[in-house]
Each structure stands twice: as structure tokens, then as C-alpha cells.
Amino acid sequence: ARRPPGRGAPPRRCLDLALACAPRSYYVWQVSGQWHRRQGELSSAREAFRRSLQLNGANVATLHAWGVLEWRCGHTDLAATLFQQGLHIQPHNKYLLQSWACMEARCGSAASASRLFAAAARKQSADGAVWQARGMHHRAQGDVERARRAFATGCSLEPTHTPLFHAWGSMEAERSNVTAARAIFQRGVWERPSHPRTVGLWVSWALLEERCGDLKAAREYLRAALRAERFCVFARAAWAALEARQGDCAASRQLYEDALRIDPANRGVWSSYEAMERAARRPAAADLIHARSRRAADLAASGLGGT
């Protein structure tokens, strides 16, 4: 029987054609490596990155991508070497500095991470992502005041970088600084209230208001999230969970079904939906949802989709 093409078949064919047409293109080998990395084919990814660097040893994007691969595999010494090679070529490259700093932070090397974050901030002083990463590093170290300063600096330098406001507001919300969190979320959505990147801000603000008992505001902010991104599964799932916590299983059920029509293979949504029905003491409904989730996963694996 002929094997049906999986989801990865078309891009693989495109890559094969690109390599056949341009076997000496360092960029094609770089893209090939990145694709293999996403597929979990790490040996093939490494070989593609190696071929890319053979053709263009100054290709910093390949050094960065390869370094991130090795970092995720736990080969931190090799990753640091690749990041360092890239910085010899482009000393101001924010992606290399950020990734290296984040790796050091995850490995517990706080001093090295701080040094690299500081270097990134000096060289890319107006880049919100740099200040966000630096603030999150300080937060992870328990230095809340330095985290606040980093977030505040980034927000003043790049006020349209919504992830900065999200990270800062979430930190304040977790510390029960409700007034500060509200003000930060408000600043973040004021910049671009209907932009898709504000969805996380709206949802986090809604959950804050739910904890404070203002369900009317919480639901209004979730509606705003869906106005910003009409097909956002994350916002629908968050709203469904809120309604379940308030005991409105019918509303929760409808929101979960809406989310699954958009993304039928979303395992997180299926799991939360099933858990909601079990918590409502509806084991038969939960078992049905579990069976539907298995069927959806099988269909997704075959490339057919559907619920």
C-alpha cells in the first residue's frame, strides 16, 4: 500500500529540490539544518549546519542555530564555542548574546549570564527583547528590584515591545502587587490594543481580575483578547478554564469546542477539557472527550486533521 504523505513530506521535498538546484548555497544548507532540528533529526541538522559553514564560515545565523541546538541537547561547552565564534564575526549580534546569556542563566552561571546580558544591553540598548531577557534573569535570581529596573528601562526605550509589559506585569501580579500589575498591563495594551501580540497581556490581566473577584472585567478583557486575535486558541482555553472555575460548565464546554474547531490536535486543550468534565463528575463525557482526542491525534499524524 502506498504510504500517505505526512505533514513533513512537502517541506522535505522542497528542501531536496532546493539542495539539488543549489548544492553550494550556504543559506539552503542553513535552512535545511533548521528544518531537521525542528523535526528532531539532530544528526542531519548538524551535518547541514556543518555544510553551511564549509561554504560560508562567516554565516553567523548558522553558528547561532547550531549553538542553540547544542545548548538544548546539553552540550553547553560546544554551544558556547559556537556562540563565541559568531561574536568574533559580529560582536554586536543580539541573538548570540541573548542565547548565550540565557544558556548561562539556565546552567546556574549567574555571573556569566549577568555579564552577557549587560553586554547585550550596551550593544543593543534600545532592543526590548534584550531588556526583557535581562529582567527575567534578575527575576529568576530573586532580585526583584533589578528586574523592575530592567523592565522599566526596556519599556521606556521600546514602548511597543508588548512581551516586556507582559513579563513585568506578570511578575507584579505574582507578587500580589495588583495596582502595579494593572497599570503595567494597561500601558502595554494602550500602545496597540487590537494587535495580536497583546493577547497575552489581555489574558494575564483577565486572570488577575478573576483572582481579585472582578469577573465582569475578566470576561471583558478575554473578549478584548479575541478581538485582537480572533482565532486564538490560547485565549479561548483560558476563558473556558475560567468558566469552569466559576461552575459554568456549559459555557466552558462551548469555549473548549470552539478552540478545538480551530486547532483539533491541541493536546493541551483536549486534556483541560477532559479534566473539566471529570471535575464536574461526568466520567462518561470525559471518556468520550478522551476518545475524541485520541482520534484527533491519529488524524493529525496522518495529515488529515479533524475532531
Side-chain angles (χ1 to χ4, degrees):
R2 185 176 179 182
R3 181 172 176 264
R7 283 189 171 182
R12 187 185 294 273
R13 285 199 294 268
C14 290
L15 282 172
D16 289 343
L17 284 170
L19 288 168
C21 293
R24 295 194 59 76
S25 168
Y26 75 89
Y27 181 70
V28 172
W29 282 108
Q30 174 195 325
V31 172
S32 176
Q34 291 168 322
W35 185 82
H36 284 296
R37 183 186 69 183
R38 287 193 295 271
Q39 302 304 306
E41 299 168 357
L42 303 185
S43 295
S44 296
R46 290 184 176 100
E47 176 60 20
F49 290 146
R50 186 185 66 79
R51 295 287 294 274
S52 176
L53 291 173
Q54 279 183 332
L55 294 165
N56 181 3
N59 182 16
V60 171
T62 294
L63 288 165
H64 177 250
W66 194 353
V68 170
L69 182 153
E70 300 300 349
W71 165 24
R72 300 281 162 79
C73 290
H75 305 149
T76 53
D77 288 343
L78 177 54
T81 297
L82 291 162
F83 292 147
Q84 192 169 38
Q85 287 177 6
L87 288 171
H88 281 314
I89 299 164
Q90 287 185 10
H92 301 284
N93 189 291
K94 64 180 181 182
Y95 302 107
L96 288 163
L97 285 165
Q98 274 184 249
S99 294
W100 194 358
C102 289
M103 182 183 78
E104 295 292 347
R106 295 281 177 86
C107 292
S109 301
S112 295
S114 296
R115 176 179 56 80
L116 288 161
F117 278 128
R122 285 194 302 272
K123 294 173 181 179
Q124 298 288 338
S125 61
D127 190 293
V130 170
W131 289 101
Q132 179 192 351
R134 192 176 186 184
M136 292 176 73
H137 166 64
H138 291 315
R139 174 186 172 186
Q141 295 296 309
D143 194 337
V144 175
E145 287 306 317
R146 290 184 72 186
R148 284 191 182 111
R149 289 198 295 272
F151 290 140
T153 300
C155 288
S156 65
L157 291 170
E158 192 177 359
T160 59
H161 190 81
T162 52
L164 255 171
F165 291 96
H166 191 191
W168 187 8
S170 296
M171 181 186 79
E172 300 296 355
E174 287 176 10
R175 298 183 63 81
S176 299
N177 296 327
V178 174
T179 302
R182 282 184 178 130
I184 293 161
F185 288 144
Q186 179 70 80
R187 282 179 61 193
V189 298
W190 263 343
E191 292 294 334
R192 295 184 291 180
S194 298
H195 193 281
R197 293 188 72 182
T198 62
V199 167
L201 280 165
W202 285 119
V203 171
S204 292
W205 195 358
L207 297 179
L208 172 66
E209 296 302 342
E210 181 198 10
R211 292 197 296 274
C212 293
D214 191 343
L215 294 174
K216 181 180 178 181
R219 292 186 177 105
E220 179 53 41
Y221 298 153
L222 287 164
R223 278 190 284 271
L226 291 176
R227 285 195 295 271
E229 178 52 72
R230 180 182 173 188
F231 298 107
C232 181
V233 171
F234 159 67
R236 280 181 171 79
W239 196 344
L242 179 148
E243 297 300 350
R245 288 190 292 272
Q246 301 309 313
D248 191 344
C249 292
S252 177
R253 197 171 292 121
Q254 184 59 58
L255 286 157
Y256 279 129
E257 291 288 347
D258 289 346
L260 289 166
R261 274 191 286 273
I262 298 167
D263 185 2
N266 191 305
R267 289 181 293 180
V269 175
W270 282 115
S271 179
S272 296
Y273 191 4
E274 180 184 347
M276 183 274 288
E277 295 290 14
R278 294 202 187 280
R281 298 184 179 180
R282 287 167 45 92
D287 290 343
L288 177 59
I289 291 163
H290 183 77
R292 287 174 61 197
S293 72
R294 295 291 297 272
R295 186 166 63 251
D298 290 341
L299 288 170
S302 70
L304 298 176
T307 58

